[in-house]
Amino acid sequence: MFLRKSEFSQYKFLVEGLTDEILKKRVETSLRFYITRANKYRKRSAFLGTASIVMPAFATFASAAASFYEEQYPSLDLAVPVITLIATVTAGIIAHFKFSEKGQNYRNLAESMKSEVAMYECQAQKYSKEKVKSEEQAKDIFLQAVEKIIEDGYRKGSELETAEDEKKLA
């Protein structure tokens, strides 16, 4: 488990096959960004989601313990409201920052980018010799596809951010 390669390292071979250095750098930085962000938001979503499940259960336990040990630990009565407060704030953070949706958006972008690079490298589907007249035409189609993925990523990310801002104003 400790020797496992990063996701980007596992797919770097796709990027290495690109011959145009500028295009290679564009794809590499975008793919690294999407993978990093997808993993970051997935981890945040998992941590906060787990906390939002465990905290209410812990509050129930603390409530029972507070009534049982009422004389020995009078301050235990404060545990339930504090734990409930933390659980409520955690749920609010999850709803407000949309870590799961953002993570899924970046994951989709990373997978789209990997798929597009693989199709281009393998000269499959729209890049096949039957569908393109030259390598230059295939490269142009590929560049347009990459830029569309990036543009879609900006648009979807902006939509998620705008939804956050609208909630703030409401």
Side-chain angles (χ1 to χ4, degrees):
M1 180 172 181
F2 291 109
L3 299 176
R4 196 177 114 198
K5 287 183 176 180
S6 72
E7 182 180 356
F8 182 77
S9 299
Q10 292 174 356
Y11 290 96
K12 193 168 179 144
F13 73 93
L14 287 173
V15 178
E16 294 295 324
L18 298 173
T19 54
D20 184 305
E21 285 302 313
I22 295 172
L23 186 57
K24 182 183 209 175
K25 205 58 150 165
R26 178 76 164 150
V27 170
E28 183 177 349
T29 52
S30 296
L31 188 56
R32 185 184 307 271
F33 178 79
Y34 296 148
I35 289 170
T36 303
R37 286 292 173 106
N39 289 334
K40 175 177 122 177
Y41 286 123
R42 179 187 51 81
K43 288 175 185 174
R44 287 180 181 178
S45 178
F47 174 76
L48 291 172
T50 301
S52 71
I53 293 169
V54 171
M55 287 294 185
F58 194 61
T60 304
F61 175 75
S63 176
S67 65
F68 190 71
Y69 294 109
E70 174 174 38
E71 291 176 16
Q72 287 178 303
Y73 304 105
S75 62
L76 199 55
D77 285 338
L78 290 174
V80 175
V82 169
I83 294 169
T84 305
L85 172 72
I86 293 169
T88 303
V89 169
T90 302
I93 289 171
I94 291 170
H96 178 73
F97 290 107
K98 299 181 180 181
F99 294 127
S100 180
E101 291 91 340
K102 288 178 180 178
Q104 189 59 51
N105 179 48
Y106 284 117
R107 171 57 48 206
N108 291 343
L109 292 167
E111 294 304 320
S112 293
M113 187 72 74
K114 288 189 277 189
S115 176
E116 201 65 43
V117 173
M119 283 191 302
Y120 177 71
E121 289 290 319
C122 296
Q123 297 178 341
Q125 296 181 11
K126 61 186 172 189
Y127 304 109
S128 68
K129 294 191 186 300
E130 294 84 38
K131 294 194 177 179
V132 294
K133 295 176 181 143
S134 66
E135 184 64 35
E136 198 60 36
Q137 183 186 18
K139 183 176 152 187
D140 288 343
I141 294 169
F142 177 64
L143 178 60
Q144 289 173 8
V146 165
E147 291 303 320
K148 183 175 181 342
I149 291 168
I150 293 169
E151 183 181 311
D152 289 347
Y154 283 133
R155 184 184 42 74
K156 180 65 175 170
S158 179
E159 288 172 6
L160 288 170
E161 294 298 324
T162 303
E164 282 178 26
D165 292 341
E166 288 173 359
K167 282 186 179 178
K168 288 178 190 175
L169 295 174

